[in-house]
């Protein structure tokens, strides 16, 4: 019987909800990336070896990059992409789409929650991540939307949450 790995999932805002938008050179964005990296390292130091990311634009990509940076130092880390539907990046700008495709290729596992887009596929993806996690790292400003839904669902399940407030 294989041992279950402690799993850390992530939820966070897309660029449209971030004060700096898509400008990843903004000092606030750089500071958030450091916080995310520190949170991922803390999770690792507390025994978490499986990390699950929803692979959206914005904070999900920052989380993915923090995990891959740490994975370059520790070969026992497993990174899973939880996709809401098959062509998640279909309507994204070319740069974002290329970043996503490279990230997917670099993951150890890809879970496709829905084959095609439908109105509940993101919620199903978020539910999958919470239901399969022991810890949720969140970048959340208290507003609604998918991140708010995910945090509230995690709270209702009694999941441990590590908040990184904006």
């Amino acid at each position: 019987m294989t041992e279950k790995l402690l799993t850390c999932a992530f939820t966070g805002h897309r660029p449209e909800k971030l004060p700096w938008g898509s400008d990843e050179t903004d000092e606030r964005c750089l500071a958030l990336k450091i916080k995310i990296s520190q949170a991922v390292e803390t999770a690792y130091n507390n025994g978490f070896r499986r990390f699950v990311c929803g692979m959206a634009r914005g904070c999900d990509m920052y989380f993915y990059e923090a995990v891959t940076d740490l994975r370059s130092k520790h070969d026992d880390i497993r990174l899973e992409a939880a996709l809401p539907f098959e062509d998640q990046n279909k309507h994204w700008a070319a740069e974002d789409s290329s970043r996503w495709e490279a990230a997917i290729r670099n993951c150890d596992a890809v879970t496709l929650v829905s084959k095609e887009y439908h109105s509940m596929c993101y919620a199903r993806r978020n539910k999958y991540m919470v239901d399969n996690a022991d810890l949720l790292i969140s970048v959340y400003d208290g507003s609604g939307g998918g991140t708010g839904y995910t945090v509230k669902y995690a709270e209702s399940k009694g999941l441990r949450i590590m908040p990184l407030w904006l």
Side-chain angles (χ1 to χ4, degrees):
M1 184 169 138
T2 43
E3 183 182 331
K4 180 188 177 292
L5 297 177
L6 283 177
T7 300
C8 174
F10 178 83
T11 189
H13 295 300
R14 294 186 184 140
E16 296 79 15
K17 278 199 168 181
L18 298 172
W20 54 86
S22 295
D23 181 6
E24 293 186 35
T25 64
D26 185 286
E27 65 185 40
R28 297 166 295 178
C29 181
L30 297 173
L32 176 61
K33 286 182 175 188
I34 290 168
K35 281 186 190 178
I36 292 172
S37 291
Q38 290 169 338
V40 166
E41 189 161 1
T42 296
Y44 180 83
N45 290 337
N46 284 301
F48 289 85
R49 296 297 183 266
R50 179 175 170 240
F51 294 83
V52 182
C53 182
M55 306 307 286
R57 294 169 31 256
C59 291
D60 280 10
M61 282 293 123
Y62 309 163
F63 174 77
Y64 158 81
E65 290 165 355
V67 173
T68 57
D69 285 349
L70 190 62
R71 189 172 66 170
S72 71
K73 300 172 194 142
H74 303 283
D75 63 0
D76 57 345
I77 291 175
R78 299 293 165 253
L79 178 56
E80 175 184 348
L83 305 184
F85 60 100
E86 197 164 27
D87 295 322
Q88 178 180 3
N89 65 327
K90 187 176 183 176
H91 299 291
W92 294 1
E95 183 179 330
D96 291 331
S97 187
S98 295
R99 185 180 189 182
W100 180 88
E101 288 170 0
I104 296 299
R105 285 191 301 273
N106 194 35
C107 288
D108 299 300
V110 176
T111 299
L112 188 62
V113 179
S114 299
K115 179 118 175 90
E116 297 176 352
Y117 173 82
H118 58 82
S119 63
M120 294 302 294
C121 64
Y122 286 98
R124 283 183 63 195
R125 186 265 324 264
N126 297 342
K127 186 178 184 306
Y128 165 81
M129 291 192 307
V130 169
D131 288 347
N132 289 280
D134 303 290
L135 170 68
L136 179 70
I137 296 174
S138 68
V139 172
Y140 182 49
D141 66 2
S143 65
T147 300
Y149 163 85
T150 306
V151 169
K152 285 179 180 61
Y153 181 65
E155 288 172 342
S156 77
K157 300 284 287 186
L159 187 65
R160 182 174 160 218
I161 301 171
M162 185 186 303
L164 306 175
W165 295 93
L166 285 179

